[in-house]
Amino acid sequence: MFARALPSCFTVGNLFLGIMSIILAFQQQWQYAAIMVIIGMLLDGLDGRVARMLNTQSEFGKELDSLSDVISFGVAPAMIMYVSVLKNTGPEGWLLTAIFPICGALRLARFNVQQSEPGYFVGLPITAAGGILATMALYNEYIENDYILMLGMLFLSYLMVSQIKYPAFKKMKFSKVAYVAAVLFIIAVAIAAIFYPQELPKILFVPLVLYALYGIKKAFERRRSVDEEETVKELK
């Protein structure tokens, strides 16, 4: 019985952290709010894998996961960005704060009803987009022009609903030892977050951005390859 509920426990834990992130954001604790999103990302990476490992996949778990993701990686990062950067920008800040989770919800709805190429996601996953936004907001003290961060937020919203393909690490197979290591890694991140709350989210921003840029790079390469093939056909 516990085994069947274990994946949903991870999902609910992710949702709980998303709600805590929103509360922390409104208490001006942006670093800890971002850390909640990051730990939520790790839990989100485990729930589906554990369900497949235990053979307990269900439509209930799938829907619960999507609803949790909208809160933890759509609403929570948008609130972090709003409270730390956008609250003094006026209606355009309200609009951007709404657009991001809306695009995330559209991305999840498309994922749930469409079959994508095996091993790939279509559009930047909301998990990655939310992680980037939550950690990007912490760089506001180094960026004087808020509109740069606003453009970054808008671009992330676009990437989620785009047709750009991203590697689906969730579908890679790992051993049971790897799952234990993943749990230990989550604990290590939580401990690091306690001692280094300001530095940890900023560091994790880098690999998340590289993942987003990787998909864009591959999309340009695929497009260039198609154009070259069409040019060769025309010459023939």
Side-chain angles (χ1 to χ4, degrees):
M1 185 69 180
F2 175 74
R4 293 189 62 84
L6 184 59
S8 293
C9 290
F10 282 115
T11 306
V12 171
N14 168 31
L15 176 58
F16 172 79
L17 291 173
I19 296 169
M20 292 302 101
S21 176
I22 295 171
I23 294 172
L24 287 167
F26 280 100
Q27 290 183 345
Q28 312 297 316
Q29 300 291 326
W30 307 322
Q31 293 91 346
Y32 290 106
I35 288 169
M36 294 298 104
V37 173
I38 291 166
I39 298 176
M41 290 175 62
L42 298 175
L43 292 180
D44 182 65
L46 284 176
D47 57 5
R49 292 184 184 279
V50 171
R52 288 188 290 273
M53 183 179 69
L54 299 175
N55 195 27
T56 57
Q57 304 101 312
S58 66
E59 285 300 313
F60 173 82
K62 182 179 178 181
E63 295 301 322
L64 179 61
D65 183 64
S66 293
L67 293 171
S68 298
D69 287 354
V70 171
I71 300 298
S72 297
F73 310 119
V75 178
M79 289 298 103
I80 294 172
M81 190 69 171
Y82 178 77
V83 173
S84 62
V85 178
L86 303 178
K87 62 181 178 181
N88 297 321
T89 59
E92 61 267 32
W94 308 344
L95 184 62
L96 272 179
T97 303
I99 286 175
F100 185 83
I102 288 172
C103 288
L106 292 172
R107 163 71 178 76
L108 287 167
R110 182 178 65 183
F111 172 77
N112 287 341
V113 300
Q114 288 185 358
Q115 287 284 358
S116 59
E117 183 180 337
Y120 288 92
F121 292 123
V122 177
L124 181 65
I126 187 175
T127 310
I132 293 172
L133 186 63
T135 52
M136 182 176 72
L138 303 183
Y139 283 89
N140 68 321
E141 58 186 296
Y142 306 109
I143 301 174
E144 295 182 1
N145 192 335
D146 291 343
Y147 284 96
I148 294 175
L149 294 173
M150 292 170 71
L151 286 173
M153 186 176 185
L154 189 61
F155 188 57
L156 286 172
S157 301
Y158 161 73
L159 288 178
M160 285 192 287
V161 296
S162 71
Q163 296 296 317
I164 297 174
K165 295 179 181 178
Y166 285 90
F169 298 121
K170 271 189 173 184
K171 297 182 181 179
M172 294 175 63
K173 294 183 178 180
F174 293 96
S175 65
K176 292 183 178 180
V177 175
Y179 288 106
V180 175
V183 173
L184 294 176
F185 180 70
I186 292 175
I187 295 172
V189 170
I191 294 173
I194 294 172
F195 291 100
Y196 306 101
Q198 296 185 352
E199 291 80 8
L200 179 66
K202 294 176 183 176
I203 293 172
L204 294 176
F205 169 78
V206 177
L208 292 172
V209 168
L210 291 177
Y211 177 71
L213 294 177
Y214 175 81
I216 297 172
K217 175 178 176 290
K218 286 296 183 181
F220 276 116
E221 289 177 353
R222 280 191 291 268
R223 184 60 194 172
R224 185 171 60 183
S225 177
V226 171
D227 290 341
E228 289 175 354
E229 290 177 2
E230 291 178 351
T231 302
V232 171
K233 289 180 181 179
E234 289 175 0
L235 292 174
K236 289 182 179 180

Short mmCIF file of all heavy atoms in Angstrom, two decimals, residues 22-87:
data_model
loop_
_atom_site.label_atom_id
_atom_site.label_comp_id
_atom_site.label_asym_id
_atom_site.label_seq_id
_atom_site.Cartn_x
_atom_site.Cartn_y
_atom_site.Cartn_z
N ILE A 22 6.02 30.36 -2.27
CA ILE A 22 5.19 31.56 -2.44
C ILE A 22 5.13 32.36 -1.14
O ILE A 22 5.27 33.59 -1.14
CB ILE A 22 3.77 31.17 -2.91
CG1 ILE A 22 3.82 30.54 -4.30
CG2 ILE A 22 2.84 32.39 -2.92
CD1 ILE A 22 2.52 29.92 -4.75
N ILE A 23 4.94 31.66 -0.04
CA ILE A 23 4.89 32.33 1.27
C ILE A 23 6.21 33.03 1.57
O ILE A 23 6.24 34.19 2.00
CB ILE A 23 4.54 31.32 2.38
CG1 ILE A 23 3.12 30.77 2.18
CG2 ILE A 23 4.68 31.96 3.76
CD1 ILE A 23 2.76 29.63 3.10
N LEU A 24 7.32 32.34 1.34
CA LEU A 24 8.64 32.91 1.60
C LEU A 24 8.91 34.12 0.70
O LEU A 24 9.54 35.10 1.13
CB LEU A 24 9.73 31.85 1.38
CG LEU A 24 9.82 30.77 2.46
CD1 LEU A 24 10.70 29.62 1.99
CD2 LEU A 24 10.35 31.35 3.75
N ALA A 25 8.42 34.05 -0.54
CA ALA A 25 8.61 35.18 -1.45
C ALA A 25 7.95 36.44 -0.91
O ALA A 25 8.53 37.53 -0.93
CB ALA A 25 8.06 34.84 -2.84
N PHE A 26 6.74 36.29 -0.39
CA PHE A 26 6.02 37.46 0.14
C PHE A 26 6.55 37.90 1.50
O PHE A 26 6.22 38.99 1.96
CB PHE A 26 4.53 37.16 0.22
CG PHE A 26 3.83 37.30 -1.11
CD1 PHE A 26 3.55 36.19 -1.87
CD2 PHE A 26 3.51 38.56 -1.60
CE1 PHE A 26 2.93 36.32 -3.11
CE2 PHE A 26 2.88 38.70 -2.83
CZ PHE A 26 2.60 37.58 -3.59
N GLN A 27 7.40 37.07 2.09
CA GLN A 27 8.08 37.47 3.33
C GLN A 27 9.48 38.02 3.03
O GLN A 27 10.29 38.18 3.94
CB GLN A 27 8.18 36.28 4.29
CG GLN A 27 6.83 35.87 4.86
CD GLN A 27 6.95 34.74 5.86
OE1 GLN A 27 7.97 34.07 5.95
NE2 GLN A 27 5.89 34.53 6.63
N GLN A 28 9.74 38.29 1.73
CA GLN A 28 11.02 38.86 1.28
C GLN A 28 12.19 37.89 1.47
O GLN A 28 13.35 38.31 1.43
CB GLN A 28 11.32 40.18 2.02
CG GLN A 28 10.18 41.17 2.06
CD GLN A 28 9.76 41.64 0.66
OE1 GLN A 28 10.61 41.94 -0.16
NE2 GLN A 28 8.47 41.71 0.41
N GLN A 29 11.91 36.62 1.63
CA GLN A 29 12.97 35.61 1.75
C GLN A 29 13.18 34.95 0.40
O GLN A 29 12.92 33.76 0.21
CB GLN A 29 12.59 34.58 2.82
CG GLN A 29 12.38 35.14 4.20
CD GLN A 29 13.68 35.64 4.82
OE1 GLN A 29 14.75 35.07 4.61
NE2 GLN A 29 13.60 36.70 5.61
N TRP A 30 13.67 35.73 -0.56
CA TRP A 30 13.74 35.24 -1.94
C TRP A 30 14.70 34.08 -2.11
O TRP A 30 14.43 33.16 -2.88
CB TRP A 30 14.15 36.39 -2.87
CG TRP A 30 13.29 37.60 -2.73
CD1 TRP A 30 11.93 37.62 -2.51
CD2 TRP A 30 13.70 38.96 -2.75
NE1 TRP A 30 11.49 38.91 -2.41
CE2 TRP A 30 12.56 39.76 -2.56
CE3 TRP A 30 14.94 39.59 -2.91
CZ2 TRP A 30 12.60 41.15 -2.53
CZ3 TRP A 30 14.99 40.97 -2.90
CH2 TRP A 30 13.83 41.74 -2.70
N GLN A 31 15.82 34.11 -1.40
CA GLN A 31 16.79 33.02 -1.54
C GLN A 31 16.18 31.70 -1.12
O GLN A 31 16.29 30.68 -1.82
CB GLN A 31 18.05 33.29 -0.69
CG GLN A 31 18.87 34.48 -1.16
CD GLN A 31 18.44 35.77 -0.48
OE1 GLN A 31 17.37 35.81 0.14
NE2 GLN A 31 19.27 36.80 -0.60
N TYR A 32 15.50 31.69 0.03
CA TYR A 32 14.88 30.46 0.51
C TYR A 32 13.71 30.05 -0.38
O TYR A 32 13.44 28.86 -0.57
CB TYR A 32 14.42 30.62 1.96
CG TYR A 32 15.57 30.69 2.94
CD1 TYR A 32 15.94 31.90 3.53
CD2 TYR A 32 16.30 29.56 3.25
CE1 TYR A 32 17.00 31.96 4.42
CE2 TYR A 32 17.37 29.60 4.14
CZ TYR A 32 17.72 30.82 4.73
OH TYR A 32 18.79 30.88 5.60
N ALA A 33 13.01 31.04 -0.92
CA ALA A 33 11.92 30.73 -1.85
C ALA A 33 12.46 30.01 -3.08
O ALA A 33 11.88 29.02 -3.55
CB ALA A 33 11.20 32.02 -2.26
N ALA A 34 13.60 30.49 -3.60
CA ALA A 34 14.22 29.84 -4.76
C ALA A 34 14.70 28.43 -4.41
O ALA A 34 14.59 27.50 -5.22
CB ALA A 34 15.39 30.68 -5.27
N ILE A 35 15.22 28.26 -3.20
CA ILE A 35 15.68 26.94 -2.77
C ILE A 35 14.51 25.96 -2.70
O ILE A 35 14.65 24.78 -3.06
CB ILE A 35 16.39 27.05 -1.41
CG1 ILE A 35 17.75 27.74 -1.58
CG2 ILE A 35 16.57 25.67 -0.77
CD1 ILE A 35 18.40 28.14 -0.28
N MET A 36 13.34 26.41 -2.27
CA MET A 36 12.16 25.54 -2.25
C MET A 36 11.83 25.04 -3.65
O MET A 36 11.48 23.87 -3.85
CB MET A 36 10.95 26.29 -1.68
CG MET A 36 11.05 26.70 -0.21
SD MET A 36 11.21 25.32 0.94
CE MET A 36 12.96 25.43 1.34
N VAL A 37 11.95 25.93 -4.65
CA VAL A 37 11.69 25.54 -6.03
C VAL A 37 12.72 24.51 -6.49
O VAL A 37 12.37 23.52 -7.15
CB VAL A 37 11.71 26.78 -6.96
CG1 VAL A 37 11.61 26.36 -8.42
CG2 VAL A 37 10.57 27.72 -6.61
N ILE A 38 13.97 24.72 -6.14
CA ILE A 38 15.04 23.81 -6.56
C ILE A 38 14.84 22.42 -5.96
O ILE A 38 14.93 21.39 -6.67
CB ILE A 38 16.41 24.38 -6.16
CG1 ILE A 38 16.73 25.62 -6.99
CG2 ILE A 38 17.51 23.32 -6.35
CD1 ILE A 38 17.88 26.43 -6.47
N ILE A 39 14.54 22.34 -4.67
CA ILE A 39 14.30 21.04 -4.05
C ILE A 39 13.05 20.39 -4.64
O ILE A 39 12.99 19.18 -4.85
CB ILE A 39 14.18 21.18 -2.52
CG1 ILE A 39 15.49 21.71 -1.93
CG2 ILE A 39 13.84 19.83 -1.87
CD1 ILE A 39 15.45 21.98 -0.44
N GLY A 40 12.05 21.23 -4.94
CA GLY A 40 10.85 20.72 -5.61
C GLY A 40 11.18 20.10 -6.96
O GLY A 40 10.58 19.09 -7.36
N MET A 41 12.15 20.70 -7.68
CA MET A 41 12.59 20.13 -8.97
C MET A 41 13.13 18.73 -8.78
O MET A 41 12.86 17.83 -9.58
CB MET A 41 13.66 21.03 -9.60
CG MET A 41 13.18 22.36 -10.10
SD MET A 41 14.56 23.37 -10.68
CE MET A 41 15.19 22.36 -12.01
N LEU A 42 13.91 18.55 -7.73
CA LEU A 42 14.49 17.23 -7.47
C LEU A 42 13.41 16.20 -7.13
O LEU A 42 13.45 15.06 -7.61
CB LEU A 42 15.50 17.33 -6.33
CG LEU A 42 16.70 18.26 -6.60
CD1 LEU A 42 17.57 18.39 -5.35
CD2 LEU A 42 17.53 17.75 -7.77
N LEU A 43 12.43 16.61 -6.34
CA LEU A 43 11.32 15.70 -6.02
C LEU A 43 10.51 15.37 -7.27
O LEU A 43 10.07 14.23 -7.47
CB LEU A 43 10.42 16.32 -4.95
CG LEU A 43 11.02 16.47 -3.55
CD1 LEU A 43 10.00 17.11 -2.61
CD2 LEU A 43 11.47 15.13 -3.00
N ASP A 44 10.32 16.38 -8.12
CA ASP A 44 9.56 16.18 -9.36
C ASP A 44 10.28 15.19 -10.27
O ASP A 44 9.64 14.43 -11.01
CB ASP A 44 9.37 17.51 -10.07
CG ASP A 44 8.55 17.37 -11.34
OD1 ASP A 44 7.36 17.03 -11.23
OD2 ASP A 44 9.10 17.60 -12.44
N GLY A 45 11.61 15.19 -10.21
CA GLY A 45 12.36 14.24 -11.02
C GLY A 45 12.28 12.82 -10.51
O GLY A 45 12.56 11.86 -11.23
N LEU A 46 11.87 12.66 -9.25
CA LEU A 46 11.81 11.33 -8.65
C LEU A 46 10.44 10.67 -8.76
O LEU A 46 10.36 9.45 -8.89
CB LEU A 46 12.22 11.40 -7.17
CG LEU A 46 13.70 11.55 -6.86
CD1 LEU A 46 13.90 11.70 -5.36
CD2 LEU A 46 14.48 10.35 -7.38
N ASP A 47 9.36 11.47 -8.72
CA ASP A 47 8.04 10.85 -8.61
C ASP A 47 7.73 9.92 -9.77
O ASP A 47 7.28 8.78 -9.58
CB ASP A 47 6.94 11.90 -8.41
CG ASP A 47 6.90 12.94 -9.52
OD1 ASP A 47 7.65 12.81 -10.50
OD2 ASP A 47 6.12 13.91 -9.39
N GLY A 48 7.97 10.39 -11.00
CA GLY A 48 7.69 9.54 -12.16
C GLY A 48 8.59 8.32 -12.23
O GLY A 48 8.15 7.22 -12.57
N ARG A 49 9.87 8.53 -11.90
CA ARG A 49 10.81 7.41 -11.94
C ARG A 49 10.43 6.34 -10.92
O ARG A 49 10.48 5.14 -11.21
CB ARG A 49 12.22 7.93 -11.65
CG ARG A 49 12.79 8.82 -12.74
CD ARG A 49 14.22 9.20 -12.40
NE ARG A 49 14.77 10.12 -13.37
CZ ARG A 49 15.26 9.77 -14.54
NH1 ARG A 49 15.27 8.50 -14.88
NH2 ARG A 49 15.75 10.66 -15.38
N VAL A 50 10.08 6.78 -9.71
CA VAL A 50 9.70 5.83 -8.67
C VAL A 50 8.42 5.09 -9.07
O VAL A 50 8.30 3.87 -8.85
CB VAL A 50 9.51 6.56 -7.31
CG1 VAL A 50 8.90 5.62 -6.27
CG2 VAL A 50 10.84 7.10 -6.82
N ALA A 51 7.48 5.81 -9.68
CA ALA A 51 6.24 5.16 -10.12
C ALA A 51 6.52 4.09 -11.17
O ALA A 51 5.94 3.00 -11.12
CB ALA A 51 5.28 6.22 -10.70
N ARG A 52 7.43 4.38 -12.10
CA ARG A 52 7.78 3.39 -13.12
C ARG A 52 8.55 2.22 -12.51
O ARG A 52 8.34 1.06 -12.89
CB ARG A 52 8.59 4.04 -14.24
CG ARG A 52 7.76 4.95 -15.15
CD ARG A 52 8.56 5.42 -16.35
NE ARG A 52 9.61 6.36 -15.97
CZ ARG A 52 9.43 7.66 -15.87
NH1 ARG A 52 8.24 8.18 -16.11
NH2 ARG A 52 10.44 8.45 -15.56
N MET A 53 9.42 2.52 -11.56
CA MET A 53 10.21 1.47 -10.93
C MET A 53 9.31 0.51 -10.14
O MET A 53 9.51 -0.71 -10.15
CB MET A 53 11.25 2.08 -10.00
CG MET A 53 12.18 1.08 -9.34
SD MET A 53 13.42 1.85 -8.28
CE MET A 53 12.37 2.45 -6.94
N LEU A 54 8.29 1.07 -9.47
CA LEU A 54 7.38 0.26 -8.67
C LEU A 54 6.16 -0.21 -9.46
O LEU A 54 5.30 -0.91 -8.92
CB LEU A 54 6.90 1.06 -7.44
CG LEU A 54 8.00 1.51 -6.47
CD1 LEU A 54 7.41 2.39 -5.37
CD2 LEU A 54 8.71 0.30 -5.86
N ASN A 55 6.11 0.21 -10.74
CA ASN A 55 4.97 -0.13 -11.61
C ASN A 55 3.65 0.34 -11.01
O ASN A 55 2.67 -0.41 -10.95
CB ASN A 55 4.94 -1.65 -11.88
CG ASN A 55 4.04 -2.00 -13.05
OD1 ASN A 55 3.84 -1.19 -13.95
ND2 ASN A 55 3.49 -3.20 -13.03
N THR A 56 3.64 1.59 -10.55
CA THR A 56 2.43 2.15 -9.93
C THR A 56 1.94 3.40 -10.67
O THR A 56 1.30 4.26 -10.07
CB THR A 56 2.71 2.51 -8.45
OG1 THR A 56 3.82 3.44 -8.38
CG2 THR A 56 3.03 1.28 -7.64
N GLN A 57 2.24 3.48 -11.98
CA GLN A 57 1.77 4.64 -12.75
C GLN A 57 0.24 4.66 -12.79
O GLN A 57 -0.39 3.60 -12.85
CB GLN A 57 2.31 4.60 -14.19
CG GLN A 57 3.81 4.52 -14.30
CD GLN A 57 4.29 3.11 -14.58
OE1 GLN A 57 3.87 2.17 -13.92
NE2 GLN A 57 5.16 2.98 -15.56
N SER A 58 -0.32 5.86 -12.74
CA SER A 58 -1.78 5.99 -12.80
C SER A 58 -2.15 7.35 -13.36
O SER A 58 -1.34 8.28 -13.36
CB SER A 58 -2.39 5.82 -11.40
OG SER A 58 -1.99 6.91 -10.56
N GLU A 59 -3.37 7.47 -13.86
CA GLU A 59 -3.86 8.76 -14.35
C GLU A 59 -3.97 9.77 -13.22
O GLU A 59 -3.74 10.96 -13.41
CB GLU A 59 -5.24 8.57 -15.02
CG GLU A 59 -5.17 7.93 -16.39
CD GLU A 59 -4.35 8.76 -17.38
OE1 GLU A 59 -4.55 10.00 -17.44
OE2 GLU A 59 -3.49 8.18 -18.06
N PHE A 60 -4.30 9.26 -12.03
CA PHE A 60 -4.37 10.15 -10.86
C PHE A 60 -3.01 10.80 -10.61
O PHE A 60 -2.91 12.01 -10.40
CB PHE A 60 -4.81 9.35 -9.63
CG PHE A 60 -4.74 10.14 -8.34
CD1 PHE A 60 -5.76 11.00 -7.98
CD2 PHE A 60 -3.64 10.02 -7.50
CE1 PHE A 60 -5.69 11.73 -6.80
CE2 PHE A 60 -3.56 10.75 -6.32
CZ PHE A 60 -4.58 11.61 -5.97
N GLY A 61 -1.95 9.97 -10.62
CA GLY A 61 -0.61 10.49 -10.39
C GLY A 61 -0.19 11.48 -11.46
O GLY A 61 0.45 12.50 -11.17
N LYS A 62 -0.57 11.21 -12.70
CA LYS A 62 -0.22 12.09 -13.82
C LYS A 62 -0.89 13.45 -13.66
O LYS A 62 -0.25 14.49 -13.84
CB LYS A 62 -0.66 11.43 -15.12
CG LYS A 62 -0.33 12.23 -16.38
CD LYS A 62 -0.78 11.48 -17.61
CE LYS A 62 -0.50 12.28 -18.88
NZ LYS A 62 -0.97 11.56 -20.09
N GLU A 63 -2.17 13.45 -13.31
CA GLU A 63 -2.89 14.71 -13.15
C GLU A 63 -2.39 15.48 -11.93
O GLU A 63 -2.23 16.70 -11.97
CB GLU A 63 -4.39 14.45 -13.02
CG GLU A 63 -5.04 13.87 -14.27
CD GLU A 63 -4.86 14.76 -15.49
OE1 GLU A 63 -4.93 16.00 -15.33
OE2 GLU A 63 -4.64 14.22 -16.58
N LEU A 64 -2.14 14.76 -10.83
CA LEU A 64 -1.61 15.40 -9.62
C LEU A 64 -0.26 16.04 -9.90
O LEU A 64 0.02 17.16 -9.44
CB LEU A 64 -1.49 14.38 -8.49
CG LEU A 64 -0.94 14.90 -7.16
CD1 LEU A 64 -1.85 15.98 -6.58
CD2 LEU A 64 -0.75 13.75 -6.16
N ASP A 65 0.57 15.37 -10.68
CA ASP A 65 1.88 15.90 -11.02
C ASP A 65 1.76 17.20 -11.81
O ASP A 65 2.47 18.18 -11.54
CB ASP A 65 2.66 14.86 -11.83
CG ASP A 65 4.07 15.32 -12.15
OD1 ASP A 65 4.86 15.52 -11.22
OD2 ASP A 65 4.38 15.50 -13.33
N SER A 66 0.86 17.23 -12.79
CA SER A 66 0.69 18.43 -13.60
C SER A 66 0.17 19.61 -12.77
O SER A 66 0.67 20.73 -12.90
CB SER A 66 -0.29 18.16 -14.76
OG SER A 66 0.27 17.23 -15.67
N LEU A 67 -0.81 19.34 -11.90
CA LEU A 67 -1.35 20.41 -11.06
C LEU A 67 -0.29 20.94 -10.10
O LEU A 67 -0.20 22.16 -9.87
CB LEU A 67 -2.57 19.89 -10.29
CG LEU A 67 -3.80 19.55 -11.14
CD1 LEU A 67 -4.85 18.83 -10.31
CD2 LEU A 67 -4.39 20.80 -11.77
N SER A 68 0.51 20.04 -9.55
CA SER A 68 1.58 20.46 -8.64
C SER A 68 2.61 21.30 -9.37
O SER A 68 3.11 22.31 -8.84
CB SER A 68 2.26 19.23 -8.02
OG SER A 68 1.34 18.49 -7.25
N ASP A 69 2.95 20.89 -10.60
CA ASP A 69 3.96 21.62 -11.38
C ASP A 69 3.52 23.04 -11.70
O ASP A 69 4.35 23.96 -11.73
CB ASP A 69 4.27 20.87 -12.68
CG ASP A 69 5.10 19.61 -12.44
OD1 ASP A 69 5.53 19.41 -11.29
OD2 ASP A 69 5.31 18.85 -13.40
N VAL A 70 2.23 23.24 -11.96
CA VAL A 70 1.74 24.59 -12.25
C VAL A 70 1.99 25.52 -11.06
O VAL A 70 2.39 26.68 -11.21
CB VAL A 70 0.24 24.58 -12.60
CG1 VAL A 70 -0.32 25.99 -12.66
CG2 VAL A 70 0.02 23.89 -13.93
N ILE A 71 1.78 24.99 -9.85
CA ILE A 71 2.00 25.79 -8.64
C ILE A 71 3.49 25.98 -8.36
O ILE A 71 3.97 27.10 -8.19
CB ILE A 71 1.33 25.12 -7.41
CG1 ILE A 71 -0.19 24.98 -7.64
CG2 ILE A 71 1.61 25.95 -6.15
CD1 ILE A 71 -0.92 26.29 -7.81
N SER A 72 4.24 24.86 -8.34
CA SER A 72 5.63 24.90 -7.89
C SER A 72 6.57 25.55 -8.90
O SER A 72 7.54 26.20 -8.51
CB SER A 72 6.12 23.48 -7.58
OG SER A 72 5.37 22.93 -6.52
N PHE A 73 6.30 25.36 -10.20
CA PHE A 73 7.23 25.85 -11.22
C PHE A 73 6.61 26.90 -12.14
O PHE A 73 7.29 27.41 -13.04
CB PHE A 73 7.75 24.68 -12.05
CG PHE A 73 8.27 23.56 -11.20
CD1 PHE A 73 7.70 22.30 -11.26
CD2 PHE A 73 9.30 23.77 -10.30
CE1 PHE A 73 8.15 21.27 -10.46
CE2 PHE A 73 9.76 22.74 -9.49
CZ PHE A 73 9.19 21.49 -9.56
N GLY A 74 5.32 27.20 -11.91
CA GLY A 74 4.67 28.27 -12.66
C GLY A 74 4.37 29.46 -11.77
O GLY A 74 4.95 30.54 -11.92
N VAL A 75 3.49 29.25 -10.81
CA VAL A 75 3.05 30.35 -9.93
C VAL A 75 4.17 30.78 -8.98
O VAL A 75 4.45 31.98 -8.85
CB VAL A 75 1.79 29.94 -9.13
CG1 VAL A 75 1.39 31.06 -8.17
CG2 VAL A 75 0.65 29.60 -10.08
N ALA A 76 4.83 29.82 -8.32
CA ALA A 76 5.85 30.18 -7.32
C ALA A 76 7.00 30.99 -7.91
O ALA A 76 7.34 32.06 -7.39
CB ALA A 76 6.37 28.92 -6.62
N PRO A 77 7.64 30.57 -9.02
CA PRO A 77 8.71 31.39 -9.59
C PRO A 77 8.21 32.76 -10.06
O PRO A 77 8.93 33.76 -9.93
CB PRO A 77 9.21 30.56 -10.77
CG PRO A 77 8.85 29.16 -10.43
CD PRO A 77 7.54 29.27 -9.71
N ALA A 78 6.99 32.79 -10.60
CA ALA A 78 6.43 34.08 -11.04
C ALA A 78 6.25 35.02 -9.85
O ALA A 78 6.50 36.23 -9.95
CB ALA A 78 5.10 33.86 -11.75
N MET A 79 5.84 34.48 -8.71
CA MET A 79 5.68 35.31 -7.51
C MET A 79 7.04 35.78 -6.98
O MET A 79 7.16 36.93 -6.52
CB MET A 79 4.95 34.52 -6.43
CG MET A 79 3.48 34.27 -6.69
SD MET A 79 2.50 35.80 -6.79
CE MET A 79 2.30 35.94 -8.56
N ILE A 80 8.05 34.90 -7.05
CA ILE A 80 9.39 35.32 -6.64
C ILE A 80 9.85 36.48 -7.50
O ILE A 80 10.39 37.48 -7.00
CB ILE A 80 10.38 34.14 -6.76
CG1 ILE A 80 10.04 33.03 -5.76
CG2 ILE A 80 11.83 34.62 -6.53
CD1 ILE A 80 10.84 31.76 -5.94
N MET A 81 9.64 36.36 -8.80
CA MET A 81 10.05 37.42 -9.72
C MET A 81 9.25 38.69 -9.48
O MET A 81 9.80 39.80 -9.50
CB MET A 81 9.83 36.94 -11.16
CG MET A 81 10.43 37.84 -12.21
SD MET A 81 12.23 37.79 -12.18
CE MET A 81 12.59 38.71 -13.67
N TYR A 82 7.96 38.55 -9.20
CA TYR A 82 7.12 39.73 -8.99
C TYR A 82 7.54 40.49 -7.74
O TYR A 82 7.73 41.71 -7.76
CB TYR A 82 5.65 39.34 -8.88
CG TYR A 82 4.76 40.53 -8.60
CD1 TYR A 82 4.41 41.41 -9.61
CD2 TYR A 82 4.29 40.78 -7.32
CE1 TYR A 82 3.63 42.53 -9.35
CE2 TYR A 82 3.51 41.89 -7.04
CZ TYR A 82 3.18 42.75 -8.07
OH TYR A 82 2.41 43.86 -7.81
N VAL A 83 7.70 39.75 -6.64
CA VAL A 83 8.02 40.40 -5.36
C VAL A 83 9.42 41.01 -5.39
O VAL A 83 9.64 42.09 -4.83
CB VAL A 83 7.88 39.40 -4.20
CG1 VAL A 83 8.36 40.01 -2.90
CG2 VAL A 83 6.43 38.94 -4.06
N SER A 84 10.36 40.35 -6.05
CA SER A 84 11.75 40.83 -6.03
C SER A 84 12.06 41.85 -7.11
O SER A 84 12.95 42.69 -6.93
CB SER A 84 12.71 39.65 -6.17
OG SER A 84 12.52 38.99 -7.41
N VAL A 85 11.31 41.83 -8.22
CA VAL A 85 11.67 42.69 -9.36
C VAL A 85 10.50 43.50 -9.90
O VAL A 85 10.61 44.70 -10.14
CB VAL A 85 12.27 41.84 -10.51
CG1 VAL A 85 12.60 42.72 -11.71
CG2 VAL A 85 13.51 41.08 -10.04
N LEU A 86 9.34 42.86 -10.09
CA LEU A 86 8.27 43.45 -10.90
C LEU A 86 7.25 44.28 -10.13
O LEU A 86 6.43 44.96 -10.75
CB LEU A 86 7.52 42.33 -11.65
CG LEU A 86 8.36 41.43 -12.55
CD1 LEU A 86 7.47 40.37 -13.18
CD2 LEU A 86 9.06 42.23 -13.62
N LYS A 87 7.28 44.26 -8.82
CA LYS A 87 6.20 44.89 -8.06
C LYS A 87 6.12 46.40 -8.27
O LYS A 87 5.07 47.00 -8.06
CB LYS A 87 6.35 44.58 -6.57
CG LYS A 87 7.62 45.10 -5.94
CD LYS A 87 7.69 44.71 -4.48
CE LYS A 87 8.99 45.17 -3.82
NZ LYS A 87 9.07 44.76 -2.40
#
